[in-house]
């Protein structure tokens, strides 16, 4: 008997049973609620308040629940007794953003953000160009687009980090893609898909050598916008009530 001859009949004991790891996709009602979902429910509640279907106290109570809801099913509870919740809505034509830019992006940057043994920041209300270059050499660069004005649908950020760090933050209601490389460093981009097909797309590319590049969404002002609209709706309701009393 040849001890070195492989036993071809021996089963492969190392092959994993992939079937036991399979799990069914979650139902839509079990999905985590987004700020866009909360915004939609808040708009329905606002209209119900304006139509007199809800009292001011009922409206305030439901809005508070909307802001703390975790899943889509929890949000639907607050509007299930309202006509708008049962209207047939057309499904949005949602498609994920492409992994590469499809628009014509210029080779020359609209903005250079450079930090050499220092720190550089772009944040607040500023206009984002089609191409932004960020260089961090023994320094740190922060590019915050959470309040930026997007004049173009696609924005490319080329990030270069050498013994430094580049941090990119974007709003939650846009798409985010990354194709960079880390060389003895860390290049991380959280993939994000916007619900709106025409939402801006930010592409982060480049490399990190003994440094880091990090891009992820940051909670914007969507929740604050909801509260502002709710307050305006309450003010309009009170104003109409006062006018009715004055006209009597």
């Amino acid at each position: 008997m040849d001890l070195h001859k492989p036993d071809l009949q021996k089963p492969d004991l190392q092959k994993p049973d992939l079937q036991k790891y399979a799990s069914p996709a979650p139902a839509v009602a079990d999905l985590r609620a987004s700020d866009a979902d909360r915004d939609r429910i808040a708009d329905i509640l606002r209209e119900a308040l304006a139509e007199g279907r809800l009292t001011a106290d009922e409206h305030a109570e439901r809005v508070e629940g909307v802001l703390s809801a975790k899943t889509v099913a929890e949000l639907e509870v607050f509007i299930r007794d309202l006509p708008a919740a049962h209207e047939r809505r057309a499904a949005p034509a949602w498609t994920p953003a492409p992994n590469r830019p499809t628009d014509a992006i210029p080779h020359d940057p609209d903005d250079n953000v450079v930090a050499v043994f220092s720190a550089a920041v772009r944040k607040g209300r500023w206009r984002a160009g089609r191409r932004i270059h960020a260089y961090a050499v023994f320094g740190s660069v922060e590019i915050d687009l959470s309040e930026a004005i997007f004049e173009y649908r696609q924005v490319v950020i080329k990030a270069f980090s050498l013994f430094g760090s580049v941090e990119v933050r974007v709003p939650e209601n846009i798409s985010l893609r990354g194709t960079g490389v880390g060389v003895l460093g860390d290049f991380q981009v959280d993939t994000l898909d916007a619900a709106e097909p025409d939402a801006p797309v930010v592409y982060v590319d480049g490399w990190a050598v003994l440094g880091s590049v990090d891009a992820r969404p940051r909670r914007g002002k969507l929740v604050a916008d909801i509260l502002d609209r709710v307050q305006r709706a309450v003010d309009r309701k009170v104003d109409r009530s006062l006018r009715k009393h004055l006209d009597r």
Side-chain angles (χ1 to χ4, degrees):
M1 181 177 179
D2 187 359
L3 298 178
H4 298 285
K5 185 178 180 180
D7 185 1
L8 300 180
Q9 302 300 322
K10 187 176 180 180
D12 185 4
L13 300 178
Q14 300 299 321
K15 187 177 181 180
D17 182 9
L18 299 181
Q19 188 64 30
K20 67 180 182 179
Y21 296 104
S23 59
V28 174
D30 296 329
L31 295 177
R32 300 282 292 188
S34 67
D35 284 333
D37 295 327
R38 297 185 182 92
D39 201 357
R40 177 178 63 86
I41 300 300
D43 285 340
I44 294 176
L45 294 176
R46 172 177 57 81
E47 294 298 330
L49 175 64
E51 295 169 356
R53 300 182 188 274
L54 296 175
T55 66
D57 291 339
E58 290 172 334
H59 178 265
E61 182 180 356
R62 296 193 186 198
V63 168
E64 183 179 355
V66 166
L67 297 179
S68 61
K70 301 298 184 184
T71 66
V72 174
E74 293 177 4
L75 286 176
E76 297 294 337
V77 169
F78 298 105
I79 61 170
R80 64 186 177 187
D81 59 345
L82 300 175
H86 304 283
E87 294 176 356
R88 188 178 298 275
R89 295 187 299 269
W94 179 85
T95 55
N99 290 325
R100 294 285 184 177
T102 56
D103 293 350
I105 305 295
H107 292 289
D108 295 329
D110 298 310
D111 193 6
N112 285 305
V113 188
V114 182
V116 180
F117 289 97
S118 62
V121 178
R122 291 288 188 278
K123 64 187 304 183
R125 199 70 172 165
W126 62 292
R127 298 181 182 275
R130 285 177 291 180
R131 179 182 288 270
I132 302 170
H133 286 187
Y135 303 90
V137 181
F138 291 94
S140 63
V141 170
E142 179 186 355
I143 299 177
D144 190 346
L145 297 167
S146 60
E147 298 181 8
I149 300 173
F150 287 86
E151 296 183 321
Y152 305 96
R153 184 175 178 273
Q154 297 185 352
V155 176
V156 173
I157 299 178
K158 298 286 288 188
F160 306 95
S161 173
L162 176 63
F163 290 98
S165 65
V166 177
E167 181 182 283
V168 179
R169 295 294 179 262
V170 302
E172 286 186 323
N173 55 338
I174 73 167
S175 295
L176 178 63
R177 291 289 185 271
T179 55
V181 177
V183 181
L184 298 178
D186 190 19
F187 198 108
Q188 290 190 355
V189 177
D190 290 353
T191 299
L192 181 67
D193 276 310
E196 296 294 333
D198 295 329
V201 186
V202 174
Y203 298 90
V204 181
D205 195 4
W207 45 257
V209 179
L210 295 170
S212 66
V213 174
D214 180 76
R216 66 184 63 183
R218 169 172 288 167
R219 183 175 294 276
K221 294 187 176 181
L222 295 179
V223 173
D225 290 342
I226 291 175
L227 295 177
D228 289 342
R229 285 196 291 272
V230 168
Q231 185 60 49
R232 288 196 296 269
V234 172
D235 292 341
R236 287 196 299 270
K237 181 69 174 180
V238 172
D239 184 62
R240 282 197 296 269
S241 298
L242 290 175
R243 285 201 300 267
K244 288 181 180 178
H245 287 294
L246 293 175
D247 292 339
R248 290 178 180 176

